[in-house]
Amino acid sequence: MQSPIRTRLVASAFAVGMLVTGAAGTGMTANAATVTLPAATSVATPGTQPAITATTFDLSKQAQVGFYGTSDGNVKEGLSDSETVAVTPGEYTVTYTAVKGSDKGVANGEFSATPHVFPTSGKVDTSGDGTIKLSVRSANDTSELNKDVPTSQKITITHGSYGFFTGDKTGTAGAGTVTLTPAKAAAPDTSLQGDANKDGKYTAADLTGVTATNTTTKNPVTGFDPTRDKATYRLDKNDKAGSIIVANLPEGWSVTYTPAMSVLSRTATVTSPDGKTTVTYTFTTVQDTKPTGKTGDANGDGKYTLADLDDVTINADGKAVWRDGKPTGTPVSKTSRIVVDNTPGGWTTKASLGAKALTVTFTAPDKTPVTVTIDYKATTIDIDLSKVSDAANPGFGTLGIVALDDLSKTPKPVNPTDNRQPHTVADQYQGITPGEYQITYTAVNDEDATKRQQPTVNGTWYSASTTTNGIFGSATGSTSRPITVAADWYKPADGKQTPTSVNMDMPAGSFMNLEGGPKAGILHLTRVGDLPQAGTPTDKDGQAAPIRLIVDASRPGDSLPHTGAGTLMPAVMGILFGALGMVGVRMRRHA
């Protein structure tokens, strides 16, 4: 249906209500669950890729079983192990299976990233070259003693890298088998007939090239989007629905029409080659109406109502959030860029990004207002803090949350089982886009104390970060603030309620270290908006206040996060208890 005048409204957090007319490294990283090692040059024949398959070796009756990364299947001579297995370079998941009745429920060993050239003596000296400890529990070992040992560990084997597991040379206690299973998921099946986008499955995304055309007028259907399922297209009275043909389907896809005869409204159903995926398009011809002479009366009923706006589309950040007279379900936030397309002639439009919802007010030529309201849907990241584990101290763990413009640059943890080596504070990192985040926390409150999780999560925010020689940490001159968030059921005995929600400003480069461990619960990060621009209000000390809600971090009994670094705890303790004299740390709210 053609509108006399096509109007587009563009609005954002900084320009609401604007009306526009027209078209629209080399360091090793590790923790107990994951090990990522530096890449090395492969010796495979140029142009070939050796097959990466699972490798299993038996620890029984061997003093030590080693594995050596090589693409040609040859093991270096002179290895001191009872047995050494050649393993094709690649990413692997290490698991261990103990024999029935064995008292060896855990397999222990070491792994070195550094490519080795072995001396003639055959003794492998891995000291000081990035060696990490390997410790994997058999899935059938349920003993309390080994409960904190992971049942799998990921490693990346490169050419020349070397590792081993300790065996049982006597054979009496029954050591089991270690298996290295390729860790990368299998590539999608790109051989599917009609899988146009080659993602290994049938979806509406395969229909990008499909067209809808009126066979009488030879005109394409205005606004037709073949990737929209269950979409309805309103046609001009001269474009009969029965004349619309859907064509240019991918190989193997088919189309049926209901009803089959020429009518004013019918649905085209497109079906995938396997018959399991369908996408429907409904075409409806606008009935003849008596001319009203009223500008902008799009449906010709003589009055101005929401029905006149059926051809309007409201887009947020390039995606439709309202069309065909109803919301699409696509999320919209208070920082979205809003574009309103195809407003009927004579109507004006104003968008308002409010505290809880987007409101678009359409004003008809006679000043009749028609309002569309779409609630915000924020993006939330949930992190299970009980899974964050310190390899050197299994009862603890630290999560690092880093704000980055490029999430592919999220730092990797460096925390081997020996704290004498270089390491990062965090045992796991989560990259997030810069912005304002609301932090909440969920923990189990059970009458059984052994099942109850810790009631608060504590940590420290840092204003700036840096990476030096592969080690991530706070930058010189970085400021820091304590953070404490409680589960909603937590009622401290002293009555000083810790906040159950804290809003944090996370500019690019800033980060938080938060405590985790086996007794921790679920951390929730909800992005609620962009950061304030230039002129951000500051605290009296001149620093931009990152915490928007009032936080009392001085309450006795709130533990500080495990850091893995001996120098951080005294500094934070000094901030909390020395300098402030136990009178409270309060972060003022800013606009």
Side-chain angles (χ1 to χ4, degrees):
M1 184 175 190
Q2 303 297 323
S3 299
I5 299 178
R6 182 171 182 270
T7 305
R8 163 176 284 194
L9 172 81
V10 181
S12 69
F14 306 103
V16 176
M18 173 190 236
L19 192 65
V20 180
T21 302
T26 62
M28 179 194 70
T29 63
N31 65 14
T34 305
V35 179
T36 305
L37 303 169
T41 304
S42 172
V43 297
T45 303
T48 66
Q49 175 63 45
I52 300 178
T53 58
T55 301
T56 299
F57 42 90
D58 192 348
L59 299 183
S60 66
K61 300 181 182 179
Q62 302 282 354
Q64 184 169 292
V65 179
F67 52 94
Y68 181 78
T70 175
S71 299
D72 56 15
N74 294 321
V75 177
K76 291 283 187 179
E77 294 182 0
L79 297 181
S80 60
D81 307 295
S82 301
E83 178 185 1
T84 300
V85 179
V87 179
T88 302
E91 295 182 25
Y92 292 87
T93 299
V94 183
T95 55
Y96 171 63
T97 303
V99 298
K100 185 176 181 180
S102 172
D103 63 357
K104 291 202 168 24
V106 174
N108 295 298
E110 295 183 0
F111 184 81
S112 174
T114 306
H116 292 295
V117 177
F118 294 94
T120 56
S121 65
K123 181 174 176 55
V124 181
D125 181 9
T126 58
S127 60
D129 62 2
T131 298
I132 64 165
K133 302 291 185 182
L134 295 177
S135 188
V136 185
R137 173 171 56 88
S138 178
N140 58 19
D141 181 356
T142 59
S143 65
E144 185 71 15
L145 178 64
N146 298 325
K147 66 177 183 178
D148 293 324
V149 179
T151 56
S152 66
Q153 189 165 339
K154 290 183 180 179
I155 61 174
T156 299
I157 297 177
T158 58
H159 179 70
S161 60
Y162 169 77
F164 70 87
F165 278 92
T166 302
D168 178 19
K169 62 182 178 180
T170 66
T172 57
T177 57
V178 168
T179 300
L180 306 182
T181 304
K184 283 193 172 180
D189 181 3
T190 58
S191 64
L192 288 176
Q193 179 190 36
D195 178 21
N197 64 354
K198 300 300 181 183
D199 63 354
K201 54 188 176 182
Y202 294 124
T203 65
D206 292 317
L207 306 178
T208 304
V210 172
T211 59
T213 306
N214 187 313
T215 56
T216 301
T217 64
K218 310 302 182 184
N219 294 326
V221 173
T222 302
F224 179 68
D225 180 357
T227 63
R228 282 178 58 196
D229 188 18
K230 298 180 176 61
T232 298
Y233 298 94
R234 299 175 68 245
L235 309 176
D236 184 79
K237 63 182 180 180
N238 295 320
D239 283 341
K240 303 301 182 183
S243 300
I244 303 299
I245 294 297
V246 173
N248 295 321
L249 300 174
E251 182 182 9
W253 290 72
S254 60
V255 59
T256 57
Y257 301 90
T258 307
M261 301 301 291
S262 179
V263 291
L264 295 178
S265 180
R266 73 174 182 176
T267 298
T269 301
V270 177
T271 305
S272 62
D274 63 359
K276 296 180 180 180
T277 300
T278 59
V279 179
T280 62
Y281 318 117
T282 298
F283 305 96
T284 300
T285 301
V286 176
Q287 301 295 311
D288 287 334
T289 56
K290 294 181 179 180
T292 64
K294 298 178 66 174
T295 300
D297 180 19
N299 67 349
D301 64 357
K303 51 188 176 182
Y304 295 120
T305 65
L306 186 65
D308 293 314
L309 306 177
D310 278 356
D311 287 342
V312 172
T313 300
I314 302 174
N315 300 285
D317 300 323
K319 297 181 179 180
V321 296
W322 192 86
R323 62 184 167 197
D324 299 330
K326 59 183 180 296
T328 64
T330 301
V332 57
S333 72
K334 68 178 180 180
T335 60
S336 294
R337 180 176 184 269
I338 306 302
V339 176
V340 180
D341 275 329
N342 220 30
T343 306
W347 290 70
T348 60
T349 313
K350 181 177 181 180
S352 175
L353 292 158
K356 296 182 178 180
L358 162 68
T359 300
V360 181
T361 301
F362 299 88
T363 303
D366 67 351
K367 306 304 180 183
T368 298
V370 177
T371 301
V372 172
T373 301
I374 305 171
D375 293 335
Y376 295 143
K377 293 184 178 179
T379 300
T380 299
I381 301 172
D382 298 325
I383 303 173
D384 186 351
L385 293 175
S386 69
K387 304 300 184 183
V388 181
S389 178
D390 184 342
N393 301 282
F396 300 90
T398 300
L399 171 71
I401 300 172
V402 189
L404 298 163
D405 291 318
D406 182 358
L407 295 183
S408 68
K409 296 182 179 178
T410 301
K412 303 292 185 182
V414 181
N415 193 8
T417 55
D418 184 354
N419 279 337
R420 292 172 303 200
Q421 299 179 39
H423 62 281
T424 51
V425 170
D427 306 293
Q428 177 180 319
Y429 282 98
Q430 173 73 50
I432 60 175
T433 57
E436 179 190 349
Y437 284 83
Q438 181 184 72
I439 304 175
T440 53
Y441 176 64
T442 302
V444 174
N445 180 23
D446 199 289
E447 293 182 0
D448 184 349
T450 62
K451 298 179 182 179
R452 188 179 305 127
Q453 294 178 318
Q454 63 190 45
T456 63
V457 59
N458 306 286
T460 306
W461 172 90
Y462 296 89
S463 62
S465 60
T466 187
T467 300
T468 305
N469 297 325
I471 306 300
F472 175 85
S474 58
T476 302
S478 172
T479 58
S480 62
R481 304 288 169 89
I483 306 165
T484 301
V485 185
D488 56 9
W489 52 263
Y490 181 46
K491 305 296 181 185
D494 59 12
K496 294 183 179 180
Q497 181 60 53
T498 301
T500 57
S501 174
V502 171
N503 279 34
M504 296 288 297
D505 285 348
M506 295 294 295
S510 65
F511 70 101
M512 296 181 281
N513 285 334
L514 301 174
E515 66 179 348
K519 297 299 291 183
I522 306 295
L523 184 75
H524 311 285
L525 297 173
T526 301
R527 193 179 190 281
V528 294
D530 289 332
L531 294 177
Q533 301 302 302
T536 299
T538 60
D539 284 336
K540 65 180 181 180
D541 59 5
Q543 300 296 332
I547 302 179
R548 293 181 180 272
L549 302 184
I550 295 178
V551 178
D552 188 344
S554 66
R555 193 182 75 249
D558 277 354
S559 60
L560 293 172
H562 166 70
T563 65
T567 58
L568 179 62
M569 183 64 76
V572 177
M573 293 293 288
I575 293 173
L576 289 178
F577 303 112
L580 298 175
M582 298 289 287
V583 297
V585 178
R586 303 185 71 81
M587 303 303 168
R588 286 164 297 285
R589 177 171 182 157
H590 60 81

